[in-house]
Amino acid sequence: MAIQLFSAVIYLPIIVICMIISQIYFERYWESFQGNKLANCGLVAAIMITYFIQEFCLLQLSLININEVAFMQVVSVTMVFRNDKNKLWWGLLTITPLFANTGEVLMGIESINTWWVWLGESAIFLLICGALVEWKRISIRIRYPLAILSLSLVEIISLGIDNNFTVVNVAAATLGLLIILIFESRRYESEIRNEEKIRLLQRESERDDLTGLLNYRALSQEISALTENQGIHSIVIGGLDIDHFKRINDTYGHFVGNEVLNYFSTIFRKEIHEAFPEHGYVYRFGGEEFTIVVSNHSIEEVYTLLQTIEKQFSERPIVTKEGVKITISFSCSLTNHLNGELLDLTLKRADKMLYSVKNNGRGWIVTDHHGMPEENVAIN
């Protein structure tokens, strides 16, 4: 009896937990190949084969150790709550009771005449899981335990129908499931914390340390996302350079230079975000070099806003901590990102235009319109 209780409450739950972890890694590997149809099909087959091998092993171990089928639906229901959009796991959740009961019939443990009980258990639990998955108003941290609790109740009712109440069977349907629930809940919370840390590190890696603006890595990712977005019909990219910034550094020192960079960044970010909410971003490449990206707005709109910002800088000098007043200006080039064009080519074109502006007096905002007559090119 003691060995059977140990198997029902500790041994088999640990095996189920290991099965859950292995399927999580399988699914992550599968998600990394979503764009490859051949690899995708192969991994779906591998997941299904592995799953049914696991279920068959669990079936045998349950019968050998506690003389009762236990925990057969836990892996599939856990995976459903991890990713409720994945139809594969819903299919496996539906098929698993049939697989388990068919195995019992073939082994002579269960009678085929009780088929209606199998279907009833499967249908009821499937409906409960479907309702809990759709109940988005409460956290998955509550919905998943409710699903496991429902599975426990279904198992207890099934034991009652079969008049098969024993200490071991009841322990498996209650304490065994509780052990799995506690471990999986803790593992899930740890996973969420780790993912949040990774996202935080990724965000930090995409930010310039001094100004807090996005950097080149973030720019590359943003352009890639914009070009793949069907709702984006135009992308304007601008290269900016604070005029005579080296002179500011040489005259007042690098600390004042950093104040100027922060002031410039703050104004630009505020103005761009307010004028083009959800469509305007500001990036720093290093030094006094910046880039702006504006989607779904014309190059003329961006040009007009930059003129306003240029005027604001000329009318409101920055006052440093030491009380020094410094009036700043900037040079800028604006160009349209062409369909199918590599980001580097767009940036090189903007940089070439900006270089031309800096060699012709600075303080200009120049734009180019691809596919438009030369006389429509706006130059300030």
Side-chain angles (χ1 to χ4, degrees), residues 271-287:
E271 296 296 332
I272 292 291
H273 287 183
E274 287 184 356
F276 310 114
E278 306 299 327
H279 290 282
Y281 300 89
V282 184
Y283 304 81
R284 185 190 178 207
F285 275 17

Side-chain angles (χ1 to χ4, degrees), residues 315-344:
E315 293 176 349
R316 301 177 189 173
I318 176 176
V319 180
T320 69
K321 293 177 181 178
E322 289 77 16
V324 178
K325 290 186 178 181
I326 302 174
T327 301
I328 60 175
S329 63
F330 64 88
S331 302
C332 179
S333 61
L334 296 174
T335 185
N336 286 300
H337 178 71
L338 306 180
N339 290 333
E341 184 178 42
L342 295 175
L343 172 61
D344 284 347

Side-chain angles (χ1 to χ4, degrees), residues 62-118:
S62 298
L63 294 175
I64 291 171
N65 287 275
I66 63 174
N67 198 31
E68 175 70 23
V69 176
F71 315 122
M72 295 295 291
Q73 289 176 277
V74 175
V75 176
S76 55
V77 74
T78 300
M79 298 306 293
V80 161
F81 276 86
R82 280 184 57 84
N83 185 0
D84 58 35
K85 303 301 181 185
N86 192 327
K87 295 179 181 178
L88 173 63
W89 290 115
W90 281 107
L92 292 176
L93 177 61
T94 305
I95 295 172
T96 297
L98 178 63
F99 174 80
N101 290 120
T102 301
E104 287 183 287
V105 170
L106 293 175
M107 294 177 184
I109 300 170
E110 189 73 52
S111 170
I112 190 73
N113 296 327
T114 59
W115 61 269
W116 58 275
V117 178
W118 316 346

